[in-house]
Amino acid sequence: EIPFLVAFYGLGKIHYYHALIFPGDSPGGKRMVQQSLETLEEFDLEFGDSLAAFEAKLTTALCHFRLGDLERALGDCDDAIELRTRFEPRSKDGVYPVDKNAADVIAVAVVQKAMLLKEQKEYAKIIEAAKDYFASIPDALSAQQGPGVLAAQADAHLELGETDAATAAAQRLQETVGV
């Protein structure tokens, strides 16, 4: 079953990456994005409870964004972030007991959501998403893209002119990555 899962998910990703060869508004590119979406929807029906299904939501988000549907793309990112709710019960301080692999997927989802929000100059929403991530994921900075979430938060603070908050986040980032 694992080889089939990998191949099925890979096919959806290949369709999306193939679409990137075409200009965004070309019929060929749109057709490839639609094929990716169809494949990933079928994948979700077959493997919806797997970690890979939550990761696939991020490719689905990219497809929707490529088609110009920012709201659906953001919704797909939120769906991937909701992976954390599979890990109950939450602690009294609101932290979900997610494992390292789930934390990695959730962090990527938050970074991707931040990139989409940055396109719309929704900096306050980026900060809100980052704060939510750090408040709900244990050892959040140790996730592969945990530092990326912090960097997005620092950048958003800077864009809003909140230099003290941006500096604090940048210092925390430096401490984390050892720069």
Side-chain angles (χ1 to χ4, degrees):
E1 188 171 289
I2 290 177
F4 180 62
L5 178 145
V6 171
F8 201 167
Y9 176 37
L11 182 61
K13 287 182 4 181
I14 287 171
H15 287 309
Y16 171 72
Y17 291 125
H18 188 184
L20 297 178
I21 296 171
F22 298 94
D25 59 347
S26 73
K30 288 180 181 178
R31 185 175 61 252
M32 294 306 299
V33 169
Q34 288 298 337
Q35 283 182 313
S36 178
L37 285 170
E38 289 170 13
T39 302
L40 293 171
E41 286 171 10
E42 290 176 22
F43 176 81
D44 191 49
L45 290 173
E46 185 75 26
F47 296 103
D49 288 333
S50 70
L51 184 63
F54 287 91
E55 188 176 331
K57 292 176 189 310
L58 301 175
T59 305
T60 302
L62 293 172
C63 289
H64 285 129
F65 183 68
R66 176 107 173 159
L67 293 174
D69 193 346
L70 178 65
E71 291 306 312
R72 282 190 76 182
L74 289 169
D76 294 331
C77 291
D78 287 338
D79 289 347
I81 293 166
E82 286 303 304
L83 167 61
R84 65 189 176 183
T85 63
R86 300 275 176 121
F87 295 84
E88 293 284 349
R90 286 172 42 171
S91 67
K92 291 178 183 171
D93 56 352
V95 176
Y96 292 94
V98 301
D99 62 26
K100 172 98 172 86
N101 294 326
D104 288 343
V105 171
I106 295 164
V108 171
V110 174
V111 168
Q112 188 166 314
K113 181 177 181 176
M115 289 188 303
L116 295 173
L117 290 168
K118 186 175 182 177
E119 289 282 323
Q120 301 300 309
K121 300 185 184 328
E122 295 281 356
Y123 304 113
K125 289 182 180 179
I126 294 170
I127 294 167
E128 179 183 319
K131 285 181 178 179
D132 179 57
Y133 169 76
F134 289 118
S136 64
I137 303 299
D139 201 19
L141 283 172
S142 69
Q144 288 178 349
Q145 286 299 315
V149 174
L150 187 56
Q153 182 181 17
D155 186 50
H157 281 299
L158 193 58
E159 290 291 338
L160 291 173
E162 300 169 352
T163 55
D164 290 342
T167 300
Q171 287 173 339
R172 186 173 172 207
L173 184 60
Q174 285 178 329
E175 292 167 3
T176 301
V177 296
V179 177

